[in-house]
Amino acid sequence: MVHVLSSRVLLRPIDPERSRRFYGRALGLEVAREFGTGPERGTVYFLGGGFLEVSGRSDTPPAPGLQLWLQVPDVAAAHKELSAQGVRVLRPPLREPWGLVEMWIADPDDVRIALIEVPVDHPLRYRPGL
């Protein structure tokens, strides 16, 4: 059995500086750690309970099936802010049949990112006994 102590998503972008601007400035993710020097240095961002590491460089975009799921407190506010910054919105906020409010954006390498709001009445917020 694997005992996982920590985890992170590793992203090898085509243009690391462009991706750092996107994740650090446009999305405003806080830096957990940086390592190395130069344009291919590593930057690790906090993702709530996980991490996103942008480091190295790739000649091709990340795997087409790679997607990130980020829960935010207010998807409508995120939509307004990110649209104003020129972030490519693939789909504006919409309440899905399963009850979550979802919005989809893309990073500079076309990695799809779901921004999710869990409404107050959604079962994910249900805490038995509380």
Side-chain angles (χ1 to χ4, degrees), residues 5-6 12 35 38 51 54 58-59 62 64 69 75 78 95-96 99 102 107 112 124-126 128:
L5 299 176
S6 181
R12 304 286 187 249
F35 55 92
F51 299 94
V54 176
S58 176
D59 294 331
W69 191 97
V75 170
R95 186 162 186 153
E96 299 291 354
E102 296 186 9
D107 86 350
R112 292 174 47 95
L124 285 175
R125 291 196 183 241
Y126 176 68

mmCIF file of all heavy atoms in Angstrom, residues 5-6 12 35 38 51 54 58-59 62 64 69 75 78 95-96 99 102 107 112 124-126 128:
data_model
loop_
_atom_site.group_PDB
_atom_site.id
_atom_site.type_symbol
_atom_site.label_atom_id
_atom_site.label_comp_id
_atom_site.label_asym_id
_atom_site.label_seq_id
_atom_site.Cartn_x
_atom_site.Cartn_y
_atom_site.Cartn_z
ATOM 1 N N LEU A 5 2.289 11.132 1.500
ATOM 2 C CA LEU A 5 2.496 12.189 2.481
ATOM 3 C C LEU A 5 2.195 13.571 1.919
ATOM 4 O O LEU A 5 1.811 14.477 2.646
ATOM 5 C CB LEU A 5 3.934 12.157 2.999
ATOM 6 C CG LEU A 5 4.343 10.864 3.706
ATOM 7 C CD1 LEU A 5 5.812 10.925 4.077
ATOM 8 C CD2 LEU A 5 3.471 10.631 4.925
ATOM 9 N N SER A 6 2.392 13.739 0.637
ATOM 10 C CA SER A 6 2.162 15.013 -0.022
ATOM 11 C C SER A 6 1.992 14.733 -1.505
ATOM 12 O O SER A 6 2.342 13.653 -1.976
ATOM 13 C CB SER A 6 3.355 15.942 0.217
ATOM 14 O OG SER A 6 3.141 17.200 -0.392
ATOM 15 N N ARG A 12 4.886 20.847 -17.208
ATOM 16 C CA ARG A 12 6.046 21.218 -18.018
ATOM 17 C C ARG A 12 5.543 22.038 -19.207
ATOM 18 O O ARG A 12 5.156 21.495 -20.231
ATOM 19 C CB ARG A 12 6.781 19.975 -18.530
ATOM 20 C CG ARG A 12 7.232 19.020 -17.449
ATOM 21 C CD ARG A 12 8.422 19.561 -16.674
ATOM 22 N NE ARG A 12 8.942 18.552 -15.756
ATOM 23 C CZ ARG A 12 8.859 18.629 -14.444
ATOM 24 N NH1 ARG A 12 8.271 19.659 -13.880
ATOM 25 N NH2 ARG A 12 9.361 17.693 -13.679
ATOM 26 N N PHE A 35 12.671 27.100 -6.823
ATOM 27 C CA PHE A 35 13.977 26.456 -6.807
ATOM 28 C C PHE A 35 14.636 26.598 -8.171
ATOM 29 O O PHE A 35 13.976 26.778 -9.179
ATOM 30 C CB PHE A 35 13.861 24.972 -6.417
ATOM 31 C CG PHE A 35 12.925 24.179 -7.278
ATOM 32 C CD1 PHE A 35 13.390 23.516 -8.404
ATOM 33 C CD2 PHE A 35 11.582 24.095 -6.960
ATOM 34 C CE1 PHE A 35 12.528 22.786 -9.205
ATOM 35 C CE2 PHE A 35 10.716 23.361 -7.747
ATOM 36 C CZ PHE A 35 11.190 22.704 -8.881
ATOM 37 N N GLY A 38 17.127 30.816 -13.600
ATOM 38 C CA GLY A 38 16.896 30.930 -15.035
ATOM 39 C C GLY A 38 15.446 30.697 -15.422
ATOM 40 O O GLY A 38 14.579 30.471 -14.575
ATOM 41 N N PHE A 51 -0.708 21.158 -4.561
ATOM 42 C CA PHE A 51 0.295 22.046 -5.135
ATOM 43 C C PHE A 51 0.333 21.882 -6.647
ATOM 44 O O PHE A 51 0.039 20.814 -7.175
ATOM 45 C CB PHE A 51 1.696 21.730 -4.593
ATOM 46 C CG PHE A 51 1.821 21.901 -3.110
ATOM 47 C CD1 PHE A 51 1.639 20.825 -2.259
ATOM 48 C CD2 PHE A 51 2.108 23.138 -2.570
ATOM 49 C CE1 PHE A 51 1.750 20.971 -0.892
ATOM 50 C CE2 PHE A 51 2.222 23.295 -1.193
ATOM 51 C CZ PHE A 51 2.045 22.211 -0.356
ATOM 52 N N VAL A 54 5.255 24.350 -11.652
ATOM 53 C CA VAL A 54 5.572 24.752 -13.021
ATOM 54 C C VAL A 54 7.083 24.794 -13.098
ATOM 55 O O VAL A 54 7.719 25.630 -12.461
ATOM 56 C CB VAL A 54 4.961 26.131 -13.369
ATOM 57 C CG1 VAL A 54 5.391 26.572 -14.753
ATOM 58 C CG2 VAL A 54 3.443 26.084 -13.256
ATOM 59 N N SER A 58 8.803 22.007 -22.089
ATOM 60 C CA SER A 58 8.434 20.926 -22.996
ATOM 61 C C SER A 58 8.314 21.480 -24.406
ATOM 62 O O SER A 58 7.965 22.646 -24.595
ATOM 63 C CB SER A 58 7.099 20.314 -22.568
ATOM 64 O OG SER A 58 6.696 19.326 -23.483
ATOM 65 N N ASP A 59 8.594 20.645 -25.395
ATOM 66 C CA ASP A 59 8.427 21.051 -26.792
ATOM 67 C C ASP A 59 6.980 20.933 -27.239
ATOM 68 O O ASP A 59 6.604 21.470 -28.280
ATOM 69 C CB ASP A 59 9.308 20.190 -27.709
ATOM 70 C CG ASP A 59 10.788 20.430 -27.460
ATOM 71 O OD1 ASP A 59 11.143 21.553 -27.049
ATOM 72 O OD2 ASP A 59 11.586 19.497 -27.679
ATOM 73 N N PRO A 62 1.159 20.100 -22.587
ATOM 74 C CA PRO A 62 0.875 18.987 -21.686
ATOM 75 C C PRO A 62 -0.179 18.059 -22.289
ATOM 76 O O PRO A 62 -0.870 18.418 -23.241
ATOM 77 C CB PRO A 62 0.330 19.673 -20.431
ATOM 78 C CG PRO A 62 0.906 21.048 -20.481
ATOM 79 C CD PRO A 62 0.980 21.388 -21.940
ATOM 80 N N PRO A 64 -3.271 16.213 -23.532
ATOM 81 C CA PRO A 64 -4.561 16.842 -23.819
ATOM 82 C C PRO A 64 -5.655 16.521 -22.793
ATOM 83 O O PRO A 64 -6.588 17.285 -22.635
ATOM 84 C CB PRO A 64 -4.944 16.311 -25.194
ATOM 85 C CG PRO A 64 -3.988 15.245 -25.527
ATOM 86 C CD PRO A 64 -2.822 15.336 -24.588
ATOM 87 N N TRP A 69 -8.891 21.171 -11.387
ATOM 88 C CA TRP A 69 -10.171 21.447 -10.731
ATOM 89 C C TRP A 69 -9.850 22.295 -9.526
ATOM 90 O O TRP A 69 -9.186 21.838 -8.603
ATOM 91 C CB TRP A 69 -10.798 20.113 -10.325
ATOM 92 C CG TRP A 69 -12.216 20.108 -9.876
ATOM 93 C CD1 TRP A 69 -13.300 19.819 -10.653
ATOM 94 C CD2 TRP A 69 -12.726 20.328 -8.555
ATOM 95 N NE1 TRP A 69 -14.446 19.854 -9.896
ATOM 96 C CE2 TRP A 69 -14.124 20.168 -8.593
ATOM 97 C CE3 TRP A 69 -12.139 20.652 -7.337
ATOM 98 C CZ2 TRP A 69 -14.934 20.313 -7.481
ATOM 99 C CZ3 TRP A 69 -12.955 20.802 -6.223
ATOM 100 C CH2 TRP A 69 -14.335 20.631 -6.309
ATOM 101 N N VAL A 75 -17.539 32.007 -7.991
ATOM 102 C CA VAL A 75 -17.180 31.836 -9.400
ATOM 103 C C VAL A 75 -17.516 33.083 -10.216
ATOM 104 O O VAL A 75 -16.764 33.464 -11.107
ATOM 105 C CB VAL A 75 -17.859 30.579 -9.998
ATOM 106 C CG1 VAL A 75 -17.707 30.528 -11.502
ATOM 107 C CG2 VAL A 75 -17.277 29.326 -9.389
ATOM 108 N N ALA A 78 -14.760 35.497 -9.757
ATOM 109 C CA ALA A 78 -13.576 35.015 -10.484
ATOM 110 C C ALA A 78 -13.736 35.271 -11.978
ATOM 111 O O ALA A 78 -12.786 35.697 -12.644
ATOM 112 C CB ALA A 78 -13.359 33.533 -10.215
ATOM 113 N N ARG A 95 -24.630 26.818 -13.448
ATOM 114 C CA ARG A 95 -24.966 25.810 -12.436
ATOM 115 C C ARG A 95 -25.277 24.512 -13.169
ATOM 116 O O ARG A 95 -26.157 24.442 -14.014
ATOM 117 C CB ARG A 95 -26.151 26.245 -11.585
ATOM 118 C CG ARG A 95 -26.375 25.257 -10.444
ATOM 119 C CD ARG A 95 -27.206 25.847 -9.353
ATOM 120 N NE ARG A 95 -27.261 24.909 -8.245
ATOM 121 C CZ ARG A 95 -27.438 25.240 -7.009
ATOM 122 N NH1 ARG A 95 -27.564 26.503 -6.683
ATOM 123 N NH2 ARG A 95 -27.494 24.337 -6.065
ATOM 124 N N GLU A 96 -24.497 23.486 -12.844
ATOM 125 C CA GLU A 96 -24.619 22.188 -13.501
ATOM 126 C C GLU A 96 -25.767 21.382 -12.908
ATOM 127 O O GLU A 96 -26.189 21.649 -11.781
ATOM 128 C CB GLU A 96 -23.307 21.411 -13.337
ATOM 129 C CG GLU A 96 -22.101 22.079 -13.954
ATOM 130 C CD GLU A 96 -22.129 22.100 -15.478
ATOM 131 O OE1 GLU A 96 -23.041 21.492 -16.096
ATOM 132 O OE2 GLU A 96 -21.239 22.736 -16.060
ATOM 133 N N GLY A 99 -25.420 20.333 -9.413
ATOM 134 C CA GLY A 99 -25.502 21.335 -8.365
ATOM 135 C C GLY A 99 -24.314 22.256 -8.194
ATOM 136 O O GLY A 99 -24.413 23.265 -7.508
ATOM 137 N N GLU A 102 -19.935 25.871 -12.228
ATOM 138 C CA GLU A 102 -18.646 25.647 -12.885
ATOM 139 C C GLU A 102 -18.402 26.689 -13.965
ATOM 140 O O GLU A 102 -19.304 27.088 -14.678
ATOM 141 C CB GLU A 102 -18.600 24.261 -13.535
ATOM 142 C CG GLU A 102 -18.687 23.130 -12.553
ATOM 143 C CD GLU A 102 -18.491 21.772 -13.206
ATOM 144 O OE1 GLU A 102 -18.120 21.706 -14.407
ATOM 145 O OE2 GLU A 102 -18.702 20.772 -12.505
ATOM 146 N N ASP A 107 -5.228 27.656 -19.666
ATOM 147 C CA ASP A 107 -3.930 28.292 -19.446
ATOM 148 C C ASP A 107 -3.276 28.524 -20.811
ATOM 149 O O ASP A 107 -3.844 28.161 -21.849
ATOM 150 C CB ASP A 107 -3.090 27.485 -18.451
ATOM 151 C CG ASP A 107 -2.268 26.364 -19.066
ATOM 152 O OD1 ASP A 107 -2.444 26.026 -20.264
ATOM 153 O OD2 ASP A 107 -1.428 25.803 -18.336
ATOM 154 N N ARG A 112 -7.045 22.838 -19.631
ATOM 155 C CA ARG A 112 -8.378 23.257 -19.183
ATOM 156 C C ARG A 112 -8.425 23.295 -17.659
ATOM 157 O O ARG A 112 -7.938 22.377 -16.997
ATOM 158 C CB ARG A 112 -9.435 22.306 -19.728
ATOM 159 C CG ARG A 112 -9.587 22.415 -21.243
ATOM 160 C CD ARG A 112 -10.528 21.358 -21.798
ATOM 161 N NE ARG A 112 -11.770 21.232 -21.069
ATOM 162 C CZ ARG A 112 -12.920 21.841 -21.375
ATOM 163 N NH1 ARG A 112 -12.971 22.621 -22.439
ATOM 164 N NH2 ARG A 112 -13.999 21.659 -20.646
ATOM 165 N N LEU A 124 -22.073 18.480 -0.924
ATOM 166 C CA LEU A 124 -20.656 18.527 -0.528
ATOM 167 C C LEU A 124 -20.461 19.339 0.748
ATOM 168 O O LEU A 124 -19.468 19.176 1.441
ATOM 169 C CB LEU A 124 -19.786 19.097 -1.641
ATOM 170 C CG LEU A 124 -19.502 18.189 -2.820
ATOM 171 C CD1 LEU A 124 -18.725 18.949 -3.907
ATOM 172 C CD2 LEU A 124 -18.724 16.956 -2.391
ATOM 173 N N ARG A 125 -21.383 20.219 1.043
ATOM 174 C CA ARG A 125 -21.284 21.029 2.270
ATOM 175 C C ARG A 125 -21.971 20.382 3.456
ATOM 176 O O ARG A 125 -21.907 20.889 4.555
ATOM 177 C CB ARG A 125 -21.885 22.410 2.028
ATOM 178 C CG ARG A 125 -21.054 23.238 1.081
ATOM 179 C CD ARG A 125 -21.476 24.671 1.199
ATOM 180 N NE ARG A 125 -20.760 25.493 0.257
ATOM 181 C CZ ARG A 125 -19.969 26.492 0.609
ATOM 182 N NH1 ARG A 125 -19.822 26.791 1.867
ATOM 183 N NH2 ARG A 125 -19.367 27.207 -0.297
ATOM 184 N N TYR A 126 -22.645 19.276 3.241
ATOM 185 C CA TYR A 126 -23.363 18.594 4.321
ATOM 186 C C TYR A 126 -22.380 17.941 5.268
ATOM 187 O O TYR A 126 -21.515 17.174 4.865
ATOM 188 C CB TYR A 126 -24.316 17.551 3.745
ATOM 189 C CG TYR A 126 -25.013 16.734 4.818
ATOM 190 C CD1 TYR A 126 -25.950 17.322 5.663
ATOM 191 C CD2 TYR A 126 -24.713 15.399 4.980
ATOM 192 C CE1 TYR A 126 -26.582 16.588 6.649
ATOM 193 C CE2 TYR A 126 -25.351 14.645 5.961
ATOM 194 C CZ TYR A 126 -26.269 15.247 6.781
ATOM 195 O OH TYR A 126 -26.890 14.504 7.762
ATOM 196 N N PRO A 128 -22.704 15.706 8.566
ATOM 197 C CA PRO A 128 -23.569 15.042 9.546
ATOM 198 C C PRO A 128 -23.138 15.368 10.976
ATOM 199 O O PRO A 128 -21.971 15.376 11.306
ATOM 200 C CB PRO A 128 -23.367 13.560 9.255
ATOM 201 C CG PRO A 128 -22.790 13.505 7.878
ATOM 202 C CD PRO A 128 -22.051 14.787 7.663
#
